[in-house]
Every structure is written in structure tokens, then in C-alpha cells.
Amino acid sequence: MKRRLYAGINILGLTVAIVSFLAIALFIHHEATYDSMYKDADRVVRFVQRFSMGGEEQVVSMTPSALVPTVMEEIEEVELGTLVFTYSSVLVDAGVGNQEEDNFAFVDENFFEIFDLKLLAGGEGKLLAEPNQVVLTSSTAARYFQRPFEAVGQTIKIDGADFLITGIVADFPSNSHLNFDLLASFITTRHGKNPQWSPANYYSYARLSPFADPEVFTQKLDQMVEKYFGEEMRSYGFEVKVMFQPLTSIHLGYSQLKDIKPAMDIKNLYIFGSVAIL
């Protein structure tokens, strides 16, 4: 009471410090828990490719459409796999004219078994098992329909083609490296019907067995690459290696070419943490 100015400065400084500490702690928690909300996230991996030629090396986060069906068939450590094919933008017409949508992707029928977003409507059988089917997130359905959960069973046009809405799911969390508004059935696409080893335009994920040995799994991936690319690599003088990274380390790992979301350098979190403690 005698030194109100001095006491006020101290209290204000302490308040700012505590609020700053809590804000930074929440940010660090948000970044450090990327993709951990999915079931069995610790067993889910994303495949990437490393290309080497003439002393130069590139790591790309996209793979061929044949990779997932092949590893599911030939490598016993893989329980389930799924493919994602992103589009830069599409035109969507739900009866009120075309609207441009940027967060659109084709995914296969296993997608929601690995990325288990909450199902809000629909869901008889697999959501995207047939061509020309689409699933909307809840916020997207609300933009196009007055009664969003009654959109299941209705048809919308995507780039002029009719797609049947088979489900409404919760929005992707903000700390997921995947973030789409509309998800259409991958079997609609050419490579969905006929997977190929070229081109490499697809994001590939797999859920591994609880007893999978990473070293053994790596050896089997190398053998698979030799089986399908060995002769071609020796003929043209390049090397390709298929690698995998844990789902929960994608965001805080090294940035790859063609990443869906830019990665965060984990050093930044250490810097923020130090500032918070100080």
C-alpha cells in the first residue's frame, strides 16, 4: 500500500510473464501433438522416396499409386494402407452455382480406418468404396446445405461430374498435417482403377503390425524396390529408395518436397520453450 507504483509494476510484470508462459506452452503442446489424435497413430507411417543421381539427392513425400497395394500384398508387417491424391482446386456445385474449393482430395476406402475422424452422418459400409462418391466435413456441409446432416444421399457436381454424398465427418483438427473439406473416392481416378509405378503423385500411408521390426521392414522395402525398379535403376544410372517416417513425426521432421503442410523445425520449439522458462 505504501509503494503502489512499485507493487503495480511487479504485479503487471508477473501477470504478463504468466500469460506469456501459458500461451507459449499451449503453442508448444499444439505443435508437439500433431497427428497424435488418430487411433494407433504410433503405428502409422508415411512413405517417402529418396532419389539419387549424379551425386545429387532429393527426398519427395509423394509415391506411386502402386506402392500401397503392393506393400499390403507383399509385406506382412503392413496391416492396412491408404492413398491420398490432392487437387489444387475444384469447382463444386450443390445447386447454387459453382464454388471453388481448394482443400479437395481423392482418398481410398481405407482412409477413415486409419484417420478415424468422427462420423456425424452416413456410414453404411465403407464411405468411399465406389466411384463418384464423396464425404464432406461438417463445416463444408453447413456451407452448402441448410440441414447439413441430411446431405447424405444427395448429389453434388465436382468439376461437372456427379458425386453421391455418402457421409459427413468432423473437421480435421488444426494439429493434423491433413486438412481437407471434401474427400472423394480414389477409385474414381484412372490410377484408382489401375495402380501404376509411375508417376509418383500420391501420398501413401500404412498402419504397421504392433510387432513390426523397423529394420526388417526397411529391408523388405529395399527388396521391393529392387524387384520393381532394380533393372531400370541400373540401366539409367539412378537410385530410388522407399523410406518411411512415423505419422507423429511428420510435422516436426525434415521438410520434404511436395509436403501437404510445411514442417516445423523442432529447434523452434526449444527456442520458444527457453523463452517461456525465462
Side-chain angles (χ1 to χ4, degrees), residues 7-23:
I9 291 172
N10 277 340
I11 292 170
L12 177 62
L14 181 62
T15 302
V16 171
I18 291 174
V19 170
S20 301
F21 174 84
L22 292 175

Side-chain angles (χ1 to χ4, degrees), residues 11 22 27 29 90 117 129 134 140 172 180 185 189 195 200 213 216 246 269 277:
I11 292 170
L22 292 175
F27 172 76
H29 180 267
V90 293
L117 298 174
V134 66
T140 305
F172 284 85
F180 303 115
S185 50
T189 68
D213 184 329
V216 173
L269 296 191
I277 292 172

Side-chain angles (χ1 to χ4, degrees), residues 130-193:
E130 301 295 332
N132 293 86
Q133 293 182 339
V134 66
V135 169
L136 310 181
T137 61
S138 58
S139 61
T140 305
R143 284 192 280 113
Y144 285 104
F145 299 94
Q146 291 185 342
R147 297 180 177 177
F149 296 152
E150 295 181 10
V152 174
Q154 299 191 47
T155 299
I156 62 174
K157 288 187 180 296
I158 300 176
D159 281 347
D162 290 333
F163 280 76
L164 176 68
I165 301 172
T166 58
I168 308 295
V169 297
D171 289 0
F172 284 85
S174 61
N175 58 342
S176 169
H177 84 286
L178 299 173
N179 181 30
F180 303 115
D181 295 328
L182 302 95
L183 296 154
S185 50
F186 184 68
I187 199 172
T188 308
T189 68
R190 176 169 60 93
H191 284 175
K193 300 181 181 73

